[in-house]
Amino acid sequence: MRPLLSAIRHHHRLTSAVLHVRHYKAPKQPMPPAPPKPPKPPQRPQSFTFHDAVWEDPYSWMSSLNDKVAMRHMDVYMEQEEKYTEAVMSDTEKLQSKLQSEMAPRMQFDLSTPPIRWGPWLYYRRVEEGMQYPVLCRRLLSLNEEFISSKSPAGGFDFTSGKRIEQKLLDYNQEAERFGGYAYEELSEVSPDHRFLAYTMYDKDNDWFKLSVRNLNSGALCSKPQADRVSNLAWAKDGQALLYVVTDQYKRPCRIYCSMIGSTDDDALLLDEPNDNVFVNIRHTKDFHFVTVNVFSTTFSKVFLINAADPLSGMTLVWECEGLAHCVVEHHQGYLYLFTDAARDGQLVDHHYLLCSPIHSSSSPRKWESIFNDDQDLIVEDVDFCYTHLALIIREGLSFRLCSVPLPLPSGKKGFNLEELNPRFLPLPKYVSQISAGPNYDYKSSTMRFTVSSPVMPDAVVDYDLSNGKWNIIQQQNMLYERTRILYGTASSTSVANKSSNNVNFRSSSEVRSGNDNLWNDLTEFYACEHYDVSSHDGVSVPLTIIYSHKHKCANQNPGLLHGHGAYGELLEKRWRSELKSLLDRGWVIAYADVRGGGGQGKKWHHNGRRTKKLNTIQDYLSCAKFLIENEIVQDKKLAGWGYSAGGLLVASAINCCPYLFRAAVLKVPFLDPTNTLLYPVLPLTAADFEEFGYPGDIDEFHAIRELSPYENVQKDVLYPAVLITSSFNTRFGVWEAAKWVARVRERTIHDPNRPILLNLTTDIVEENRYLLCKESALETAFLIKMMES
């Protein structure tokens, strides 16, 4: 009976279940939350008229810094923007956390900078545990062997065997207490006798840099000089006198003072330039024999010499030329050397060149002779001097080289070919994008420091002995944690595991290794670097550099990020950025467009992308964007743009021209409203700003400014890409420019929740905070990933 009863009970359960299913109603799926709505700032239309143009600006109130009511509205609006960004990005919180955990270990965080040798001392900055800001320190070179490296910082930085080896010169954590909670140093110069430190700290409350002088023996601040609005300084009289430059209320460097250290006399005024269009700059020659004074405007450039032994004896004119030119004068064993890009014989030149003249020249005007014969293949990017050698950073096409030439140069000859001077070259890795000279304070040492940058290699700090060609990598971040390779060769995994730092430990400045024993820590095994010449709208070839992961590159399937700047003749920064590794490892292509207006291709390249020719910059960038898509390097509809400051203007203008080309963009502290900013500057502008973007007083340049202005050329009823703008109140191009552009794009274009326009306010850009930088990079990266996957 049991099997039968069991079967009946089983049948009853099935029947009941069927009946239950018949009456079951599935619960209603909850409606997805409505996408957040972007804020709408109030409009207060205001009319403007200039030349033959009339326009209205409904958001001009955002820049009315002296209007308390407007600023209260701005505060409310900025809070709304912050909440909107948080709401839109709320679904990426886990991704942002993951990205931060990836990026934080990669961010180079050195316990100490590589010590810089100067005379009997080694100078360096280090970070104490738990402190936000570093400490400036020094130790005697003679005690260097007892110094314990960053493997055990606590043991090496304070005491070794009960013997103090370090002197703390300046604690920037204490400086932060003096200056509103954070410390930002603009200038720092130790006197040639190593007794004093002159430095300027940013005063946030007054928005200027304040000069202080500290006695390094006692650690006390000197009673004078203490000056505000200081932009430049130079030591004289072997450290007994300090010359400094003060700016006017518009931040124009215009006055030079001389202060005698320890004297109670008022600081002597050496120069007061009344002309609003003239600027002043000073520097000491490397041997401290002279202080050079550069006085320049858009129409002329002059260089004067001040005898450092007697700084009150007046100034002697040694060079002048028409137009704004870069002029650096150096002194070496009775000769003046001038490195400049000034016009020659009335003809503009495309690159810098080096001239020489005896210090005691009897000719008037002074006669200068060229060091090198004209050679189109020899482009000198920079020079540096020590007592025995001249260092040259040269460029051949897109390739950089570094070499040394013995001094003094052979006499009796006017011009040289480089090979005649027996140059000694530093062997370099592939794809070097920039070489920068270090401080190199020690004029008597033949060892100079340089930083070598590459898109596929973390920056390498190199000490190069110009006398014998030996070199040593002093510091370079190691991105290959999981591998057995280390910076100076190969080793077992055990020896790598014993390393407590991800960076090269610094060594004695006198220690050198042979070239064969040095290995560049490049990443070409994992990431490819390629160069292309892209034809722009007028047939000009624009250099395009791309990097991508060997592992993840697939034809026509990769999202891409295109960087651009193209302003002020500045070199586009293509150095390795560790935060971009998170994109590369997710299959992104990172591209760099060296558009006109930027540097690296000579002065003509810069001039063909400024003022009335600024549209060339935008067309070059668009040509590179189209090249990436048409050649299937980047997948269609998956290209993003990236621009910083003036690069923000470039990318935003490119979006206005071809919004369909881009899926997303990141603009950092961008310049978006050139018409109003150049016409009615809220913050002080420099002559270089007008030289770059144009003078509104000239009607042709005024119309060129309006034609490229991102704010004034937003298209109507068009779908725009998603854009994330990060800005700050402490920037030359104020946050109102970003806020106005964001409001206008939302007002005019088609609204798509999947393509949001976001404004993210950051903390003060002068603040160096590793955590905040990592957090900001994670937000930007998460935004790009989200937009490509949405």
Side-chain angles (χ1 to χ4, degrees), residues 40 53 82 133 179 181 229 237 245 357 438 449 470 483 541 563 581 620 632 696 705 735 739 748:
K40 288 186 177 181
E82 185 177 5
Y133 297 103
F179 293 97
R229 301 199 303 266
K237 293 195 71 171
V245 177
S357 176
R449 183 162 294 173
K470 293 183 178 180
R483 299 180 63 82
S541 292
H563 291 74
K581 188 176 187 294
D620 289 354
E632 299 186 348
I705 293 167
V735 69
R748 292 188 173 183

Side-chain angles (χ1 to χ4, degrees), residues 188-255:
S188 178
E189 293 285 348
V190 175
S191 62
D193 60 0
H194 302 276
R195 292 194 304 154
F196 298 99
L197 171 69
Y199 61 102
T200 60
M201 302 296 297
Y202 182 64
D203 187 334
K204 180 181 178 182
D205 294 336
N206 296 299
D207 189 28
W208 63 44
F209 286 92
K210 184 179 182 65
L211 171 66
S212 300
V213 177
R214 193 173 292 272
N215 187 317
L216 297 184
N217 293 326
S218 66
L221 282 172
C222 299
S223 58
K224 63 178 289 292
Q226 291 192 21
D228 298 326
R229 301 199 303 266
V230 173
S231 64
N232 216 211
L233 51 86
W235 285 102
K237 293 195 71 171
D238 197 28
Q240 299 178 50
L242 180 69
L243 279 63
Y244 60 92
V245 177
V246 172
T247 66
D248 61 14
Q249 58 180 330
Y250 302 108
K251 298 187 178 182
R252 178 182 66 94
C254 56
R255 288 186 290 274

Side-chain angles (χ1 to χ4, degrees), residues 647-679:
L649 180 146
L650 166 64
V651 177
S653 296
I655 290 173
N656 282 343
C657 294
C658 301
Y660 61 88
L661 264 182
F662 303 92
R663 182 66 184 83
V666 174
L667 312 180
K668 297 178 70 67
V669 291
F671 183 27
L672 298 173
D673 189 17
T675 300
N676 292 298
T677 295
L678 295 172
L679 268 176

Side-chain angles (χ1 to χ4, degrees), residues 86-316:
E86 289 177 356
V88 170
M89 296 298 293
S90 60
D91 60 344
T92 67
E93 288 181 359
K94 289 184 178 179
L95 176 59
Q96 289 185 57
S97 297
K98 178 176 173 55
L99 289 168
Q100 285 191 59
S101 66
E102 292 174 10
M103 294 175 178
R106 299 191 208 122
M107 282 195 167
Q108 187 162 348
F109 184 73
D110 306 320
L111 294 171
S112 172
T113 60
I116 298 171
R117 178 178 177 178
W118 185 13
W121 295 97
L122 291 170
Y123 290 88
Y124 54 95
R125 299 172 193 261
R126 64 175 180 81
V127 178
E128 295 181 320
E129 186 176 356
M131 293 298 179
Q132 182 175 1
Y133 297 103
V135 182
L136 176 64
C137 305
R138 71 181 178 187
R139 66 181 187 274
L140 286 170
L141 182 65
S142 58
L143 296 176
N144 188 55
E145 294 303 320
E146 301 181 43
F147 181 76
I148 299 176
S149 71
S150 56
K151 291 180 182 178
S152 180
F157 288 135
D158 291 323
F159 297 89
T160 300
S161 304
K163 185 177 182 180
R164 184 184 178 106
I165 64 169
E166 178 187 79
Q167 181 184 2
K168 293 182 182 180
L169 305 180
L170 186 61
D171 189 336
Y172 293 96
N173 299 285
Q174 295 177 5
E175 291 297 308
E177 297 176 5
R178 292 178 60 205
F179 293 97
Y182 70 88
Y184 178 71
E185 179 186 75
E186 177 76 1
L187 304 169
S188 178
E189 293 285 348
V190 175
S191 62
D193 60 0
H194 302 276
R195 292 194 304 154
F196 298 99
L197 171 69
Y199 61 102
T200 60
M201 302 296 297
Y202 182 64
D203 187 334
K204 180 181 178 182
D205 294 336
N206 296 299
D207 189 28
W208 63 44
F209 286 92
K210 184 179 182 65
L211 171 66
S212 300
V213 177
R214 193 173 292 272
N215 187 317
L216 297 184
N217 293 326
S218 66
L221 282 172
C222 299
S223 58
K224 63 178 289 292
Q226 291 192 21
D228 298 326
R229 301 199 303 266
V230 173
S231 64
N232 216 211
L233 51 86
W235 285 102
K237 293 195 71 171
D238 197 28
Q240 299 178 50
L242 180 69
L243 279 63
Y244 60 92
V245 177
V246 172
T247 66
D248 61 14
Q249 58 180 330
Y250 302 108
K251 298 187 178 182
R252 178 182 66 94
C254 56
R255 288 186 290 274
I256 303 177
Y257 289 91
C258 177
S259 178
M260 297 297 175
I261 305 299
S263 170
T264 58
D265 295 340
D266 291 340
D267 295 349
L269 179 63
L270 303 186
L271 176 66
D272 187 359
E273 178 51 62
N275 193 320
D276 291 341
N277 297 319
V278 179
F279 300 78
V280 176
N281 181 59
I282 63 173
R283 62 179 291 274
H284 64 78
T285 56
K286 294 195 70 174
D287 59 4
F288 285 99
H289 286 183
F290 299 96
V291 173
T292 64
V293 180
N294 286 63
V295 181
F296 56 93
S297 72
T298 57
T299 58
F300 72 88
S301 299
K302 297 180 180 180
V303 183
F304 298 85
L305 283 189
I306 294 177
N307 185 354
D310 187 9
L312 302 181
S313 61
M315 305 190 305
T316 302

